[in-house]
Amino acid sequence: MNRPSLHKNGISLSFHNIRYEVLQKLNDVPVCGKTGMKEILCGVSGLLPPGLNAIMGPTGSGKTSLLDVLARRKDPKGLKDGYVLVNGHKVPGNFRMMCGYVVQLTELVILQDDIVLGTLTVKENLAFSANLRLPPEQYNAKQRQKKVEDVVEQLGLQACADTMVGNEFIRGVSGGERKRVNVGMEMILDPPVLFLDEPTTGLDANTANSLVLLLCSLANEGRNIIMSIHQPRYSIFSLFDRLVILNKGQIVYRGPAKKAVGYFSDIDSAWQEIQKHYEQSLGTSSRKLDISSYETQYATGFFHQVRVVVKRTGLNIIRHPMTSFVQIIIMLVFAFLIGLIYYQSDTSFQTGLQNRAGVFFFLVSTNVISNLSALEIFIKNRSHLIHESASGYYRVSVYFIAQVFADLVPNRFVPNLFFTVVVYFMVGK
């Protein structure tokens, strides 16, 4: 799939009369409670040219919803009206695959549902993105490796390039470096537009300032950086080129960030002049509601995706050997207990039949209970699947196949094989 380098000349996003609704409960009744539609965005319009653009507002103002609508990550059923244009034209069907999106990471998410795998190094995570999102016909193995090294250098991650990102069991990189790794996963694409959902959340003031300085340098290269942010310090605010301020789903300011203070100090006179400017820039022509289906075009083929995802899942298991080891030990303990209870049991018709029935009961029960933990694999890595499949890394079927071959087989089949063999030779004569 060819991806045009739109950021060379810079691209502008404009959004027109966006109205977005979500279904929510109207009371606290858990099962049979009434539900209704709540309007999150109330007919908002604006223009976001190349540069560092910020969407600000209090909690619940609709910042993330607007960001997701612009990035085409919201369910189109909730979009009741409005449309988004790229350089004045309809958004391409594969726009979601061409752009980068960095999700919000809080301290809790980092410990439980991070979108980068903690058992992989910084370079290995970036290589995973490169291997799945850069078309093989345009990038060979050396070119993909060079791309990874360029991103590492660009983000200043050389010192921790070969360090595991880390998780609740492995001490890894710092919070600021982790944020830059998440940005790097999207920078592999060299995207013309980069969306970030509150990138400074959970960071100290110095780290947050360094991260926004990095985003500012990327914006100076001609990219369109669009970020939602909550109560930034002035050193960060001063870096913004344009600003959109939301409150309860409505825009209270849109325009150059440096003019925001003056606007609010003289809001009556400023309102008429900014409103006139936007009516001219956005135009008054009526357009049809833009709720076209999101087109998904993958950069790599099905079997290539399976190979890359299986490799990453395998590395995760190898670097977590205790998971398989503990599972085998537990199954062997149960096998010896059952074997001791029914050791060389009687094989006569009546007594032997009862003994065999008891053995089969314990066999089935133990296997079912021990394999229930397989569901945890999909629950724990749910955030990886949602983010990576939405960003065009791989198909959902690829993720399922990879988990079956690289995780379920060694962690479920092998322990159960040991269990069955032990019970067979201890019970049988």
Side-chain angles (χ1 to χ4, degrees):
M1 180 182 64
N2 294 324
R3 290 185 173 90
S5 299
L6 297 177
H7 71 271
K8 289 183 178 179
N9 298 319
I11 67 171
S12 298
L13 265 68
S14 59
F15 50 101
H16 307 253
N17 196 33
I18 299 296
R19 310 186 76 91
Y20 191 82
E21 298 179 347
V22 295
L23 183 67
Q24 70 170 20
K25 291 185 178 180
L26 300 179
N27 51 39
D28 296 330
V29 180
V31 178
C32 302
K34 293 183 179 180
T35 59
M37 301 301 294
K38 179 181 179 181
E39 194 169 38
I40 304 299
L41 297 173
C42 310
V44 297
S45 302
L47 177 67
L48 298 172
L52 186 57
N53 299 284
I55 302 174
M56 291 178 56
T59 301
S61 60
K63 301 188 299 295
T64 299
S65 295
L66 177 57
L67 194 74
D68 289 346
V69 168
L70 295 175
R72 300 180 71 86
R73 286 183 174 243
K74 281 292 187 185
D75 185 355
K77 293 181 181 178
L79 188 62
K80 298 304 178 182
D81 194 10
Y83 53 93
V84 179
L85 299 179
V86 176
N87 285 345
H89 301 283
K90 184 178 178 181
V91 179
N94 64 338
F95 179 74
R96 182 164 54 97
M97 303 301 170
M98 296 164 52
C99 299
Y101 189 100
V102 180
V103 301
Q104 179 182 356
L105 297 179
T106 63
E107 293 180 0
L108 179 63
V109 172
I110 288 175
L111 290 177
Q112 295 183 356
D113 298 313
D114 201 355
I115 61 170
V116 292
L117 208 58
T119 52
L120 268 60
T121 66
V122 171
K123 271 190 175 181
E124 287 172 343
N125 273 294
L126 296 178
F128 175 77
S129 178
N131 289 334
L132 289 175
R133 305 176 78 185
L134 298 180
E137 61 272 14
Q138 298 180 19
Y139 295 87
N140 56 33
K142 290 184 178 180
Q143 290 173 325
R144 288 196 295 269
Q145 183 179 358
K146 179 64 166 55
K147 185 68 174 178
V148 170
E149 292 173 353
D150 290 343
V151 171
V152 167
E153 183 178 357
Q154 188 177 21
L155 299 180
L157 294 170
Q158 299 94 323
C160 61
D162 297 317
T163 303
M164 290 188 189
V165 173
N167 54 27
E168 60 268 34
F169 302 112
I170 302 173
R171 183 176 178 84
V173 299
S174 66
E177 290 169 336
R178 183 186 293 269
K179 290 275 188 175
R180 280 182 279 166
V181 174
N182 282 276
V183 174
M185 295 284 284
E186 306 306 319
M187 289 304 299
I188 287 291
L189 274 179
D190 198 20
V193 182
L194 179 62
F195 299 94
L196 303 100
D197 187 11
E198 300 198 21
T200 59
T201 300
L203 300 181
D204 60 80
N206 184 58
T207 305
N209 191 68
S210 299
L211 179 62
V212 178
L213 280 172
L214 170 65
L215 296 176
C216 185
S217 66
L218 295 177
N220 290 335
E221 297 175 1
R223 293 183 178 85
N224 194 338
I225 308 295
I226 304 173
M227 57 187 291
S228 63
I229 192 167
H230 183 70
Q231 293 183 342
R233 59 186 300 184
Y234 180 74
S235 61
I236 292 177
F237 180 85
S238 62
L239 297 174
F240 299 154
D241 294 317
R242 296 188 72 84
L243 181 65
V244 174
I245 300 180
L246 294 173
N247 183 41
K248 296 182 180 179
Q250 296 182 338
I251 290 181
V252 296
Y253 177 80
R254 56 190 178 190
K258 293 179 175 58
K259 294 184 179 180
V261 176
Y263 169 82
F264 287 107
S265 64
D266 192 12
I267 192 169
D268 291 334
S269 59
W271 170 254
Q272 297 179 359
E273 181 180 354
I274 292 176
Q275 186 70 14
K276 181 179 179 181
H277 168 72
Y278 269 90
E279 288 178 356
Q280 294 174 352
S281 63
L282 298 178
T284 57
S285 60
S286 59
R287 293 176 181 265
K288 293 183 178 180
L289 180 65
D290 181 13
I291 55 172
S292 57
S293 60
Y294 298 166
E295 179 184 359
T296 302
Q297 297 180 0
Y298 296 96
T300 54
F302 178 84
F303 293 104
H304 178 84
Q305 292 177 4
V306 170
R307 180 176 61 83
V308 174
V309 180
V310 166
K311 179 182 178 181
R312 183 183 71 163
T313 308
L315 283 174
N316 185 42
I317 295 175
I318 293 172
R319 291 169 183 175
H320 262 119
M322 289 302 294
T323 304
S324 302
F325 181 74
V326 171
Q327 185 78 3
I328 293 174
I329 294 298
I330 292 175
M331 295 302 289
L332 286 176
V333 170
F334 276 104
F336 280 110
L337 287 176
I338 297 173
L340 290 174
I341 295 173
Y342 295 97
Y343 183 74
Q344 301 295 298
S345 59
D346 187 5
T347 57
S348 61
F349 177 74
Q350 184 173 0
T351 305
L353 185 61
Q354 292 176 345
N355 290 338
R356 270 23 179 210
V359 171
F360 284 125
F361 171 77
F362 284 112
L363 282 173
V364 173
S365 300
T366 304
N367 277 276
V368 170
I369 294 173
S370 66
N371 287 304
L372 285 177
S373 59
L375 296 175
E376 183 187 4
I377 300 170
F378 298 97
I379 297 173
K380 185 176 181 180
N381 296 328
R382 180 173 177 267
S383 59
H384 290 86
L385 173 62
I386 293 175
H387 172 73
E388 293 170 350
S389 61
S391 297
Y393 282 65
Y394 48 72
R395 300 163 175 84
V396 176
S397 57
V398 167
Y399 179 82
F400 178 79
I401 293 172
Q403 295 300 325
V404 170
F405 280 97
D407 196 300
L408 296 184
V409 171
N411 285 342
R412 316 298 157 188
F413 177 77
V414 174
N416 279 278
L417 179 63
F418 280 101
F419 172 81
T420 305
V421 171
V422 171
V423 172
Y424 177 82
F425 284 104
M426 287 188 70
V427 175
K429 287 185 178 180

